[in-house]
Amino acid sequence: MKPILSIHPEKCIQCGRCIRVCPSLIFLQQEQTKQITIQAPETCIICGHCVAACPTGAISHSCFPPERIHKIDRTILPSPEQILLLCKTRRSNRALSNKPIPKEMLEMILEAAHRAPTASNKQQVEFTLVTDPNKLHAISEFTLNTLSSIAKILGNPLSKPIVKRLMPQVYNYLPTFERLKKEYQKGNDLILRNATAVIFIHTPSHSRFGCQDANLAYQNGSLMAESLGISQFYTGFVCSALQQHNGKRLLNQLNITGTVHAGMALGIPEFNFPNYIDKKDIIVTHDE
């Protein structure tokens, strides 16, 4: 659907904000009259920058009626120091209880993830929330079986010399694969770590920037989880297993279409970390 845009001249103060923020260069300002006009509205990517930036509500956009535009009270936003502290305190806490996460908290995490920017404002990122214990168990089982199959290939005397030369870093994980399997047999799931929810973030297979968009969404969601006191960690082993040839079996079971780029395991923590620690010194290259 092509958007319909117009400018209310009686409201427009000719500040030019819409011109400076529009990625499609739809807005023009006449040199003589300073009047702002619209050109080629069919090129609009429906990002909403223009209506969000307009201080007087002078822009009418068919995709953003008044009920979809909200005033921002910047006095209640967290301070830069608070945001930085949140980033410092965020950790992959895998000490999880078996308490379920309240529905409203999961919805806030999903909403925060959904709010992340996407390339060209395509908004093709989708989410699959898994809370069914049987499906969570199936995720761990599938991942462990896949990793075990990989371990067998890596340990095969015939294929080992070739694979080791092509992917030497993979062999560093062999002891980990064995430990995951042994612990699972003892009833200790080191894949999901007792998580009561998993969010898979995926896009259509043809999405050019699907991986980047999905991981931007992950960061938004993980920070929201931290602010809510919900533990989260990246499901790296699960995502790696899904990339194998048998990954579609689990995707079909979870009714996921497209490509999974990120996964977030969530749970109520047994405790909160009382400290944060410094990372290695930051590396910044300056252009001067």
Side-chain angles (χ1 to χ4, degrees), residues 190-261:
L190 298 182
I191 299 297
L192 293 185
R193 304 279 186 152
N194 210 34
T196 57
V198 170
I199 296 175
F200 287 112
I201 308 176
H202 45 95
T203 64
S205 299
H206 63 267
S207 179
R208 183 179 178 186
F209 296 103
C211 180
Q212 293 87 341
D213 290 345
N215 281 283
L216 284 172
Y218 185 100
Q219 293 304 320
N220 264 27
S222 65
L223 285 173
M224 175 56 76
E226 187 71 33
S227 72
L228 291 168
I230 302 299
S231 292
Q232 59 78 35
F233 62 88
Y234 199 96
T235 58
F237 284 126
V238 179
C239 290
S240 295
L242 286 172
Q243 293 173 1
Q244 306 305 312
H245 70 279
N246 61 339
K248 288 186 177 181
R249 179 168 58 84
L250 180 62
L251 295 179
N252 290 335
Q253 189 175 349
L254 299 175
N255 295 317
I256 295 176
T257 57
T259 303
V260 172
H261 300 285

Side-chain angles (χ1 to χ4, degrees), residues 57-265:
I59 298 174
S60 176
H61 195 303
S62 59
C63 295
F64 301 100
E67 62 270 18
R68 294 192 64 191
I69 304 171
H70 311 278
K71 289 291 183 181
I72 300 173
D73 183 359
R74 294 193 173 273
T75 63
I76 64 174
L77 294 179
S79 68
E81 293 78 14
Q82 290 172 325
I83 293 294
L84 183 56
L85 181 59
L86 181 65
C87 292
K88 289 178 177 179
T89 58
R90 185 184 66 171
R91 300 197 68 81
S92 298
N93 186 352
R94 291 173 170 81
L96 306 178
S97 71
N98 57 7
K99 298 178 182 177
I101 302 171
K103 179 182 177 182
E104 59 272 18
M105 288 188 175
L106 289 172
E107 290 175 347
M108 291 182 72
I109 294 169
L110 287 165
E111 172 68 11
H114 175 63
R115 287 283 180 173
T118 58
S120 300
N121 194 44
K122 292 294 186 181
Q123 298 188 44
Q124 295 177 322
V125 179
E126 300 178 6
F127 306 89
T128 295
L129 173 63
V130 182
T131 57
D132 183 337
N134 292 326
K135 291 183 179 180
L136 292 172
H137 178 74
I139 293 171
S140 294
E141 284 274 350
F142 164 79
T143 303
L144 284 166
N145 289 337
T146 302
L147 296 181
S148 295
S149 299
I150 295 174
K152 289 180 180 179
I153 295 173
L154 296 177
N156 188 310
L158 297 177
S159 60
K160 185 175 180 179
I162 300 175
V163 179
K164 193 171 185 178
R165 186 173 65 252
L166 296 176
M167 298 182 294
Q169 69 281 3
V170 175
Y171 278 87
N172 295 331
Y173 284 99
L174 273 177
T176 302
F177 293 166
E178 291 298 325
R179 181 167 58 90
L180 292 173
K181 182 178 179 180
K182 289 179 180 179
E183 289 296 322
Y184 192 77
Q185 291 171 345
K186 294 189 293 185
N188 186 17
D189 180 5
L190 298 182
I191 299 297
L192 293 185
R193 304 279 186 152
N194 210 34
T196 57
V198 170
I199 296 175
F200 287 112
I201 308 176
H202 45 95
T203 64
S205 299
H206 63 267
S207 179
R208 183 179 178 186
F209 296 103
C211 180
Q212 293 87 341
D213 290 345
N215 281 283
L216 284 172
Y218 185 100
Q219 293 304 320
N220 264 27
S222 65
L223 285 173
M224 175 56 76
E226 187 71 33
S227 72
L228 291 168
I230 302 299
S231 292
Q232 59 78 35
F233 62 88
Y234 199 96
T235 58
F237 284 126
V238 179
C239 290
S240 295
L242 286 172
Q243 293 173 1
Q244 306 305 312
H245 70 279
N246 61 339
K248 288 186 177 181
R249 179 168 58 84
L250 180 62
L251 295 179
N252 290 335
Q253 189 175 349
L254 299 175
N255 295 317
I256 295 176
T257 57
T259 303
V260 172
H261 300 285
M264 182 187 304

